[in-house]
PDB file of all heavy atoms in Angstrom:
ATOM      1  N   ARG A 123     -38.908 -13.776  13.853  1.00 94.00           N
ATOM      2  CA  ARG A 123     -38.426 -12.399  13.710  1.00 94.00           C
ATOM      3  C   ARG A 123     -37.023 -12.191  14.285  1.00 94.00           C
ATOM      4  O   ARG A 123     -36.549 -11.065  14.353  1.00 94.00           O
ATOM      5  CB  ARG A 123     -39.403 -11.435  14.372  1.00 94.00           C
ATOM      6  CG  ARG A 123     -40.759 -11.355  13.677  1.00 94.00           C
ATOM      7  CD  ARG A 123     -41.699 -10.433  14.420  1.00 94.00           C
ATOM      8  NE  ARG A 123     -42.979 -10.325  13.749  1.00 94.00           N
ATOM      9  CZ  ARG A 123     -43.285  -9.416  12.839  1.00 94.00           C
ATOM     10  NH1 ARG A 123     -42.374  -8.522  12.486  1.00 94.00           N
ATOM     11  NH2 ARG A 123     -44.478  -9.375  12.283  1.00 94.00           N
ATOM     12  N   VAL A 125     -33.136 -13.375  13.709  1.00 97.00           N
ATOM     13  CA  VAL A 125     -32.341 -14.063  12.690  1.00 97.00           C
ATOM     14  C   VAL A 125     -30.862 -13.750  12.872  1.00 97.00           C
ATOM     15  O   VAL A 125     -30.479 -12.580  12.928  1.00 97.00           O
ATOM     16  CB  VAL A 125     -32.758 -13.632  11.265  1.00 97.00           C
ATOM     17  CG1 VAL A 125     -32.090 -14.534  10.227  1.00 97.00           C
ATOM     18  CG2 VAL A 125     -34.271 -13.650  11.092  1.00 97.00           C
ATOM     19  N   ILE A 136     -33.803 -12.637   6.684  1.00 97.00           N
ATOM     20  CA  ILE A 136     -33.800 -11.227   7.078  1.00 97.00           C
ATOM     21  C   ILE A 136     -34.578 -10.396   6.060  1.00 97.00           C
ATOM     22  O   ILE A 136     -35.391  -9.535   6.418  1.00 97.00           O
ATOM     23  CB  ILE A 136     -32.362 -10.704   7.233  1.00 97.00           C
ATOM     24  CG1 ILE A 136     -31.672 -11.386   8.415  1.00 97.00           C
ATOM     25  CG2 ILE A 136     -32.354  -9.187   7.432  1.00 97.00           C
ATOM     26  CD1 ILE A 136     -30.187 -11.097   8.503  1.00 97.00           C
ATOM     27  N   ALA A 139     -38.270 -10.981   6.490  1.00 94.00           N
ATOM     28  CA  ALA A 139     -38.794 -10.309   7.672  1.00 94.00           C
ATOM     29  C   ALA A 139     -38.798  -8.796   7.503  1.00 94.00           C
ATOM     30  O   ALA A 139     -39.656  -8.097   8.061  1.00 94.00           O
ATOM     31  CB  ALA A 139     -37.960 -10.702   8.894  1.00 94.00           C
ATOM     32  N   ALA A 140     -37.839  -8.278   6.727  1.00 95.00           N
ATOM     33  CA  ALA A 140     -37.760  -6.835   6.521  1.00 95.00           C
ATOM     34  C   ALA A 140     -38.823  -6.324   5.564  1.00 95.00           C
ATOM     35  O   ALA A 140     -39.140  -5.126   5.570  1.00 95.00           O
ATOM     36  CB  ALA A 140     -36.374  -6.463   5.990  1.00 95.00           C
ATOM     37  N   SER A 145     -38.957  -1.173  11.385  1.00 97.00           N
ATOM     38  CA  SER A 145     -37.844  -0.971  12.312  1.00 97.00           C
ATOM     39  C   SER A 145     -37.094  -2.274  12.527  1.00 97.00           C
ATOM     40  O   SER A 145     -37.643  -3.366  12.376  1.00 97.00           O
ATOM     41  CB  SER A 145     -38.352  -0.436  13.656  1.00 97.00           C
ATOM     42  OG  SER A 145     -39.288  -1.348  14.228  1.00 97.00           O
ATOM     43  N   ALA A 146     -35.822  -2.138  12.888  1.00 98.00           N
ATOM     44  CA  ALA A 146     -34.967  -3.310  13.123  1.00 98.00           C
ATOM     45  C   ALA A 146     -33.985  -3.013  14.232  1.00 98.00           C
ATOM     46  O   ALA A 146     -33.526  -1.869  14.391  1.00 98.00           O
ATOM     47  CB  ALA A 146     -34.227  -3.710  11.850  1.00 98.00           C
ATOM     48  N   LEU A 147     -33.655  -4.043  14.986  1.00 98.00           N
ATOM     49  CA  LEU A 147     -32.586  -4.004  15.975  1.00 98.00           C
ATOM     50  C   LEU A 147     -31.471  -4.919  15.508  1.00 98.00           C
ATOM     51  O   LEU A 147     -31.730  -5.990  14.949  1.00 98.00           O
ATOM     52  CB  LEU A 147     -33.075  -4.470  17.339  1.00 98.00           C
ATOM     53  CG  LEU A 147     -34.157  -3.645  18.029  1.00 98.00           C
ATOM     54  CD1 LEU A 147     -34.708  -4.406  19.229  1.00 98.00           C
ATOM     55  CD2 LEU A 147     -33.600  -2.297  18.452  1.00 98.00           C
ATOM     56  N   LEU A 162     -29.949  -2.583   6.274  1.00 96.00           N
ATOM     57  CA  LEU A 162     -31.352  -2.452   6.654  1.00 96.00           C
ATOM     58  C   LEU A 162     -31.801  -0.997   6.599  1.00 96.00           C
ATOM     59  O   LEU A 162     -32.919  -0.688   6.160  1.00 96.00           O
ATOM     60  CB  LEU A 162     -31.561  -3.028   8.056  1.00 96.00           C
ATOM     61  CG  LEU A 162     -31.429  -4.551   8.164  1.00 96.00           C
ATOM     62  CD1 LEU A 162     -31.342  -4.987   9.615  1.00 96.00           C
ATOM     63  CD2 LEU A 162     -32.591  -5.239   7.462  1.00 96.00           C
ATOM     64  N   VAL A 218     -40.603  -7.731  18.144  1.00 97.00           N
ATOM     65  CA  VAL A 218     -39.542  -8.209  19.027  1.00 97.00           C
ATOM     66  C   VAL A 218     -39.302  -7.183  20.122  1.00 97.00           C
ATOM     67  O   VAL A 218     -39.290  -5.971  19.866  1.00 97.00           O
ATOM     68  CB  VAL A 218     -38.234  -8.449  18.243  1.00 97.00           C
ATOM     69  CG1 VAL A 218     -37.142  -8.963  19.166  1.00 97.00           C
ATOM     70  CG2 VAL A 218     -38.455  -9.427  17.100  1.00 97.00           C
ATOM     71  N   ALA A 230     -38.968  -3.522  18.110  1.00 98.00           N
ATOM     72  CA  ALA A 230     -38.779  -3.433  16.660  1.00 98.00           C
ATOM     73  C   ALA A 230     -39.538  -4.565  15.990  1.00 98.00           C
ATOM     74  O   ALA A 230     -40.063  -5.473  16.650  1.00 98.00           O
ATOM     75  CB  ALA A 230     -37.290  -3.497  16.303  1.00 98.00           C
ATOM     76  N   ASP A 231     -39.583  -4.509  14.677  1.00 97.00           N
ATOM     77  CA  ASP A 231     -40.228  -5.571  13.904  1.00 97.00           C
ATOM     78  C   ASP A 231     -39.310  -6.759  13.658  1.00 97.00           C
ATOM     79  O   ASP A 231     -39.770  -7.854  13.312  1.00 97.00           O
ATOM     80  CB  ASP A 231     -40.695  -5.019  12.548  1.00 97.00           C
ATOM     81  CG  ASP A 231     -41.700  -3.898  12.700  1.00 97.00           C
ATOM     82  OD1 ASP A 231     -42.628  -4.052  13.521  1.00 97.00           O
ATOM     83  OD2 ASP A 231     -41.556  -2.870  12.019  1.00 97.00           O
ATOM     84  N   LEU A 232     -37.982  -6.554  13.838  1.00 97.00           N
ATOM     85  CA  LEU A 232     -36.992  -7.556  13.458  1.00 97.00           C
ATOM     86  C   LEU A 232     -35.761  -7.397  14.333  1.00 97.00           C
ATOM     87  O   LEU A 232     -35.357  -6.273  14.649  1.00 97.00           O
ATOM     88  CB  LEU A 232     -36.619  -7.366  11.983  1.00 97.00           C
ATOM     89  CG  LEU A 232     -35.377  -8.053  11.425  1.00 97.00           C
ATOM     90  CD1 LEU A 232     -35.579  -9.561  11.383  1.00 97.00           C
ATOM     91  CD2 LEU A 232     -35.060  -7.523  10.020  1.00 97.00           C
ATOM     92  N   LEU A 233     -35.166  -8.521  14.748  1.00 98.00           N
ATOM     93  CA  LEU A 233     -33.902  -8.513  15.492  1.00 98.00           C
ATOM     94  C   LEU A 233     -32.885  -9.354  14.731  1.00 98.00           C
ATOM     95  O   LEU A 233     -33.106 -10.545  14.479  1.00 98.00           O
ATOM     96  CB  LEU A 233     -34.090  -9.077  16.906  1.00 98.00           C
ATOM     97  CG  LEU A 233     -32.809  -9.318  17.720  1.00 98.00           C
ATOM     98  CD1 LEU A 233     -32.057  -8.007  17.955  1.00 98.00           C
ATOM     99  CD2 LEU A 233     -33.134  -9.999  19.051  1.00 98.00           C
ATOM    100  N   VAL A 234     -31.770  -8.734  14.367  1.00 98.00           N
ATOM    101  CA  VAL A 234     -30.671  -9.439  13.699  1.00 98.00           C
ATOM    102  C   VAL A 234     -29.568  -9.676  14.720  1.00 98.00           C
ATOM    103  O   VAL A 234     -29.136  -8.751  15.413  1.00 98.00           O
ATOM    104  CB  VAL A 234     -30.131  -8.615  12.513  1.00 98.00           C
ATOM    105  CG1 VAL A 234     -28.911  -9.299  11.903  1.00 98.00           C
ATOM    106  CG2 VAL A 234     -31.214  -8.439  11.458  1.00 98.00           C
TER     107      VAL A 234
END
Side-chain angles (χ1 to χ4, degrees):
R123 293 177 179 269
V125 190
I136 293 171
S145 59
L147 297 169
L162 290 167
V218 181
D231 299 315
L232 165 68
L233 171 62
V234 175

